[in-house]
Amino acid sequence: MTVFDQLSLDGLRFNLTSEKNSAIPLDFFTPPSANSASFCLPNHSTTVRRPFPLSHGTTTLGFIFQGGVIAAADTRASAGGLVACPAVHKITPIHSHLVVTSSGSGADCMLWERILTREIRLYQLRHRRRLSIRGTAKLLSFMLHPFKGTEVCVALTLCGWDKESGPKLIYVCSDGARLQGDIFSVGSGSPYAYGVLDGGLKWSLSKDEAISLAREAVFRATHRDAYSGNNVDLFHITAQGWSQRKREDLKEEYYRDMEKRSKDRRGKIKRE
Amino acid sequence: MEYLIGIQGQDFVLVAADNVAASSIIQMKHDYDKMFKLSEKILLLCVGEAGDTVQFAEYIQKNVQLYKMRNGYELSPAAAANFTRKNLADYLRSRTPYHVNLLLAGYDDSDGPGLYYMDYLSSLAKAPFAAHGYGAFLTLSILDRYYRPDLTRDEAMDLLKKCIEEVSSASISRRFHLHYLHLFNLFHL
C-alpha cells in the first residue's frame, strides 16, 4: 500500500501503482490529469471553515561548510497570534545521514515527513541501497505535486550527506520548487536569519564557529519575528551521520547578549 | 523578475537567462540554471511559476529523449516546439494548467537555426529574436533597432551584452547574472 492508496480527498482516490509493486506509483510518470485535486471540488459551494488558524511561522536554516552541514531551527508553533506549542521538533531525522527541517503548516510537515521516511525506508528495503539526497528530494517533490494549488503548505530543507557526493542541502516546497544550494533559510524569520548568515558564513569555519553562527542567526530571527522563538535545535551532519546538540533556551542567549552589551557600554563610559 | 532572451543568426542561436531563483523578497539561489537540454541540438529555456517550470520542462525533456530511444533519430526543433505547445495547450483548460513561459532554441541540419517563442497561453511563434519577463519591455526595442539577419557571432554577442546592460541598469534587483549558451557548438561562455 503506498501513500496514494491511503489518501483520499473528498472522494477522489489515487489508486495508481504498477502491478510489480514498485516503490513509485505510476502517478509520478505523468503530469497530473484532470482528476487530481488541485482546485476546490465542485461538490462544495463554499470551502469548509477552519476551526482555528493553522500553525505557521518559523525560522529554520541550513548551510554547508568545510566540516559538514549544520541544520538549525526554532521550536515555536504559532496558531494565528497564539503560541500553540513552545517546544516543537522542527528538525526530524529521516535516516542516519539525512535530517529535514520543516516550515509552513506544522500538521502538513509532520505528515509528509512520516510519508517520506516510510518511502525512503521502503526504497532501501526493495533496492538494497539508500536513495541519494537528490533522489529523495525529487521523490518528495513528485509526491507533493498533485497537491499543488490546495492548502497543503510545506517547505522542507533536506540536509544530508551522500556517500558518493558529500554534503547536500536541498530545499523542497509544496509549490513545487526544488533547489539545491549551500545555504537556505526558510520561514517567517528567514530574512533576519539571512542577514546574519550572509555576513558571517565562510567555507573555512570551524565546527564551533559554525554552530555559534547558526545559533546567533536563529536568535536574531526569533528576537525580531513574533512567530519564532523559545528554543533552538542544532544538528550537525557529517560523513559519520547526524548528531544533535542539546536543545538551548534562547532566553539564556538573550541574557548573555544583554550582559555583553551592558559590559560594552560600561567599558565605553569608563573610557569617556 | 526572471528574464530570457534569444537571438537567431545565420548558423547559430544565442540564448541567455538570468541565474536568480527568488521566493517573494528573498533570492534563494544566485546560480540557478533555467536551461534544459532536450537534445544535442535543442535547448529549452523555462521561466514561470515555481514548481511548474521544472515539472513541465523535465516532462518535455524526457519525452524528447524517449522519442530518440524509440525511433533511433532525434526530434527536429520545429517538431519539439510543436510538441511542447500541444502539451501546454492540452493542460491550459484542465484543472492544472502550467504557468510557464518558454524559449526553444534549436539547430536543424536541413532547415538551419530556429528560435521559438511560447507563452503560458500556449501561443507559438518562430521569431528571429525574442525575450520574456519585464526585461523584454526594455530590450525588444534594442533588438528591433540593431538586429540584422546576417549578424556574425561577435555582433550577436555585442547585441546581447547591450540588452543585458540595459536590463541590469534598469532592474530593481542589482544582482543579475547571465549565463550565455551559444547553441551551435553548445558550449557555455
Side-chain angles (χ1 to χ4, degrees):
Chain A
M1 290 274 269
T2 69
V3 55
F4 290 106
D5 289 357
Q6 289 160 8
L7 286 170
S8 160
L9 276 81
D10 290 310
L12 285 185
R13 287 201 141 250
F14 303 94
N15 194 19
L16 311 168
T17 58
S18 71
E19 284 108 18
K20 273 193 297 203
N21 195 29
S22 76
I24 303 174
L26 284 176
D27 211 34
F28 288 163
F29 300 122
T30 56
S33 66
N35 281 336
S36 71
S38 280
F39 277 75
C40 274
L41 301 169
N43 296 331
H44 290 131
S45 50
T46 53
T47 51
V48 178
R49 216 175 71 90
R50 287 213 203 110
F52 51 79
L54 300 181
S55 59
H56 267 85
T58 188
T59 307
T60 70
L61 59 92
F63 60 84
I64 300 181
F65 70 113
Q66 58 79 20
V69 191
I70 297 281
D74 73 307
T75 61
R76 175 176 291 180
S78 52
L82 167 74
V83 176
C85 176
V88 167
H89 292 274
K90 295 192 191 180
I91 310 186
T92 318
I94 301 281
H95 56 69
S96 64
H97 287 73
L98 174 63
V99 306
V100 56
T101 71
S102 55
S103 145
S105 160
D108 286 337
C109 285
M110 278 186 203
L111 172 70
W112 283 103
E113 279 162 13
R114 272 183 77 104
I115 290 172
L116 183 66
T117 312
R118 182 184 63 189
E119 293 300 323
I120 295 304
R121 181 68 181 136
L122 282 172
Y123 184 96
Q124 189 178 0
L125 290 169
R126 284 171 180 146
H127 298 87
R128 270 181 279 182
R129 68 174 190 89
R130 193 172 260 171
L131 191 56
S132 64
I133 311 287
R134 284 189 63 187
T136 310
K138 204 157 191 177
L139 179 65
L140 180 61
S141 180
F142 277 41
M143 285 198 288
L144 285 170
H145 186 75
F147 301 95
K148 188 174 157 86
T150 65
E151 307 242 17
V152 172
C153 177
V154 292
L156 311 174
T157 313
L158 304 178
C159 319
W161 190 288
D162 267 335
K163 207 161 22 165
E164 302 87 27
S165 39
K168 277 275 186 316
L169 191 63
I170 308 183
Y171 167 73
V172 181
C173 86
S174 49
D175 292 338
R178 189 171 21 104
L179 303 171
Q180 185 178 329
D182 291 331
I183 166 174
F184 283 114
S185 176
V186 187
S188 53
S190 68
Y192 311 109
Y194 269 124
V196 174
L197 279 174
D198 284 335
L201 186 61
K202 286 188 293 286
W203 178 262
S204 55
L205 287 173
S206 73
K207 175 185 163 190
D208 290 327
E209 284 171 343
I211 287 182
S212 72
L213 177 67
R215 187 191 303 118
E216 175 86 10
V218 176
F219 167 63
R220 297 284 165 206
T222 57
H223 182 57
R224 286 289 178 182
D225 181 31
Y227 300 105
S228 309
N230 297 104
N231 308 309
V232 59
D233 280 329
L234 286 156
F235 276 70
H236 180 215
I237 304 108
T238 59
Q240 281 71 45
W242 60 261
S243 65
Q244 180 179 8
R245 287 177 68 85
K246 193 160 166 302
R247 176 171 276 191
E248 291 163 31
D249 193 339
L250 285 169
K251 195 170 54 190
E252 309 298 321
E253 182 71 23
Y254 177 74
Y255 290 142
R256 273 199 293 270
D257 193 53
M258 283 283 105
E259 183 64 46
K260 198 163 73 72
R261 282 176 195 277
S262 68
K263 213 188 318 179
D264 286 345
R265 218 180 29 229
R266 271 184 260 127
K268 218 178 278 176
I269 292 172
K270 256 200 206 127
R271 274 183 256 123
E272 281 163 13
Chain B
M1 185 56 214
E2 302 179 302
Y3 179 64
L4 299 178
I5 181 174
I7 302 173
Q8 180 196 324
Q10 291 226 289
D11 60 353
F12 66 90
V13 186
L14 184 61
V15 289
D18 72 294
N19 272 1
V20 174
S23 171
S24 79
I25 60 167
I26 301 279
Q27 292 184 353
M28 299 209 75
K29 246 174 106 69
H30 304 299
D31 55 356
Y32 183 66
D33 193 356
K34 301 188 185 177
M35 305 200 182
F36 295 85
K37 194 168 121 173
L38 300 191
S39 77
E40 287 305 317
K41 303 232 173 111
I42 309 178
L43 216 66
L44 181 70
L45 287 79
C46 191
V47 292
E49 204 182 310
D52 287 352
T53 50
V54 176
Q55 286 283 122
F56 185 73
E58 282 191 350
Y59 175 64
I60 301 294
Q61 189 182 45
K62 302 314 171 195
N63 273 290
V64 169
Q65 288 166 2
L66 182 62
Y67 184 93
K68 181 178 180 190
M69 282 179 220
R70 280 188 175 145
N71 301 293
Y73 57 89
E74 290 184 340
L75 269 175
S76 69
N82 278 286
F83 171 70
T84 308
R85 189 214 70 85
K86 180 80 168 64
N87 269 285
L88 262 175
D90 287 340
Y91 283 103
L92 182 62
R93 291 209 163 84
S94 70
R95 273 194 268 167
T96 60
Y98 285 97
H99 193 116
V100 292
N101 293 315
L102 309 161
L103 283 183
L104 191 142
Y107 189 89
D108 194 1
D109 289 323
S110 44
D111 295 333
L115 176 67
Y116 295 86
Y117 170 100
M118 270 172 277
D119 73 2
Y120 69 101
L121 296 169
S122 77
S123 63
L124 170 68
K126 187 173 187 305
F129 56 85
H132 276 298
Y134 286 130
F137 288 101
L138 305 164
T139 51
L140 279 173
S141 48
I142 301 176
L143 290 163
D144 280 328
R145 168 78 180 83
Y146 292 107
Y147 176 81
R148 286 181 345 263
D150 58 351
L151 285 173
T152 66
R153 300 198 193 169
D154 291 328
E155 285 169 347
M157 272 300 288
D158 288 335
L159 180 53
L160 182 69
K161 284 201 182 108
K162 250 201 264 276
C163 292
I164 289 165
E165 267 166 34
E166 177 55 35
V167 181
S168 303
S169 65
S171 168
I172 293 173
S173 64
R174 293 281 131 171
R175 305 243 2 220
F176 211 98
H177 309 252
L178 270 139
H179 178 192
Y180 310 82
L181 204 114
H182 189 176
L183 183 73
F184 185 74
N185 294 317
L186 221 74
F187 57 86
H188 295 234
L189 298 169

